[in-house]
Amino acid sequence: MRRTAARLAVLLLAAGAVSVPAAQAAPADQQRQRDFAAAAAEFGVPQDVLLGVSFLESRWDTNAGTPSTSAGYGPMHLTDLRTAGVGTHHDQGGEDPRGDESRPPLHPEAGPPAPPPDSLQTLDTAAELTGVDAATLRTDPAQNIRGGAALLAAYHRETGDWYQAVAKYSGSEEPSAATAFADEVFGTIASGVERVTDDGQRISLAPTPTAAPKGVPAAAGPIECPQGISCEWIPAPYQEIPGGYGNHDKADRPDSQKIDYIVIHDTEGYWNGVLEMVQDPTYVSWHYSLRSADGHIAQHVPTKDVAWHAGNWYVNAKSIGLEHEGFAAKGTWYTEAMYRTSAKLVRYLAAKYDIPLDRDHIIGHDNVPGLTPARIKDMHWDPGPYWDWTHYFDLLGAPIDRADTGSADWRPNTGAVTIAPDFATNKPAFEYCEPNVKLCPARGSTSVILRTEPRADAPLLKDIGLHPATGQSTMHVSDVGSRVDSGQQYAVAEVRGDWTAVWYLGQKGWFHNPSNATAKPVRSKVVTPKTGPVQIFGGAYPEPEAYPEGITPRELVPLPYTMPAGQRYTLGLTTDSEYYYAVNFDPADHQVVRGKTKFVQVQFGHRIAYVKADDVRILPSWAPN
């Protein structure tokens, strides 16, 4: 009865039959809540269904009018491929995705990108149903919500059931994916949610009892996915080709080697094209692909095997790679549906392989180091500065923004910080998200820029590996030489007023941190040289004496950085030295070479790095050297 009365009130308000005194007018930051109510009443859609669908698509955000990674606009994610771009992830730059110095460099070339499916063009239908032009539906949040409500109402007329209408709204062609999307929507309705959007609107969805979820049927094939999400098996080929074989290596992890990392990528291309690439034996591989519109997952390589995805053979041999449909540089945004299924998959894999849920082990492709100095400048930098690491770790159940409150004056006592800016309000002025367009759209980011001095106009830090000629970092969206991201931990070097400096690539990097708003205090372990400068490495390979006859030792080449005496860097993990020898098609010839040298992983810059354990001491971050 209450809901009926509320809808009647909305209808009367929309028709102008009821006036509300100015003193009783709803606050401006609740306008979008009223827009949802009005659209629900106009098109006869249950308001909780409309809110639930919008939350799973956009978290009710407008994203500054920019499209999502699957060409969706506005709170209702109305899709319009006329503005979409195309690309192929592993064709960009000079990175060798396999990254194994024992084999010739692998630089695959993909064919023309496959066209996106017709299901990613809902904006035209919404325009027909509402009489509103496409440009307005893309940019006006209220009209965008009306367009989404009109689509849901049309799908309900077609199916006769709101659950099926929501499933159809996902755009999924696979029944299991549509079911999983609808289950997630109705689960959100049941639990309720509230938040402040990227443009300051306060929206709430009260918990509402709903019909039981339908449940996702078990997938066929050797799928490694948690229950309740949509997964399918689309295998990457392991076969001989002229001049070698592709497109991954057989292994027996974790019995052969421990899996230490899960690497988050974006595809730089649309779903259909990505699937074509990973099924090409001459191309490269990754373990999973995740679709933007609905979060559907395809597994390509068993997790026991080694995929060619990270550009660093040591990391490839110790990791699982997840490719997310999207673009790092276009200023586009990732859907809530994909964030959620990705987080469920990562939780499942982390539990299966005992991988800690932190930013030392759940890393971006942009955190993977080059194995040699020559490879640094060619390493990829996805998923980019617009991937919301803070939200992602909330979904993982491992929040990254918790402060250590053990000391009233944390800065001289904890000795380390976790980077944790507010995603919505943190908007660095990145450049060249689009060719020949200098400024990127002003969008939320979890990246924080470092300066050489505690002032906003100070130069950026230098990265002599990324910029061998000058060393000077830039604000180019791809340049990670003077940038930190949410969840990463760094040792504090100095504090001056509202500015904090951390140790970074052998330098002090300053960022504005008033009242700990940008970084939270944390008690951690740090690594510091025993004496003099310490060499930095991009992997943890064994000493030459460890290699058996017939296997050429892999040279462990120092990177062009050092860790000076007295500086500190947070500890990621300690590890034995290993090299996975797999250069022949027959897995019987594959072998793990283990050495006596032990290594320590550190957060040295934006990327992780390794130092020899014998060269450093490990201390509590709050302890003196």
Side-chain angles (χ1 to χ4, degrees), residues 251-274:
D252 190 26
R253 307 183 304 176
D255 292 341
S256 58
Q257 287 184 282
K258 186 179 185 304
I259 300 174
D260 285 326
Y261 308 106
I262 297 174
V263 182
I264 305 299
H265 303 257
D266 78 57
T267 61
E268 295 300 316
Y270 289 108
W271 181 255
N272 290 359
V274 168

Side-chain angles (χ1 to χ4, degrees), residues 462-464 481 503-507 561-562 567 569 604-606:
K462 290 190 174 183
D463 185 337
I464 58 174
W503 292 117
Y504 187 97
L505 297 178
Q507 311 155 79
Y561 316 105
T562 59
Q567 293 188 9
Y569 295 84
F604 190 66
H606 187 85

Side-chain angles (χ1 to χ4, degrees), residues 121-137:
Q121 188 66 39
T122 61
L123 189 134
D124 290 346
T125 306
E128 292 175 5
L129 292 170
T130 61
V132 177
D133 65 90
T136 302
L137 286 172

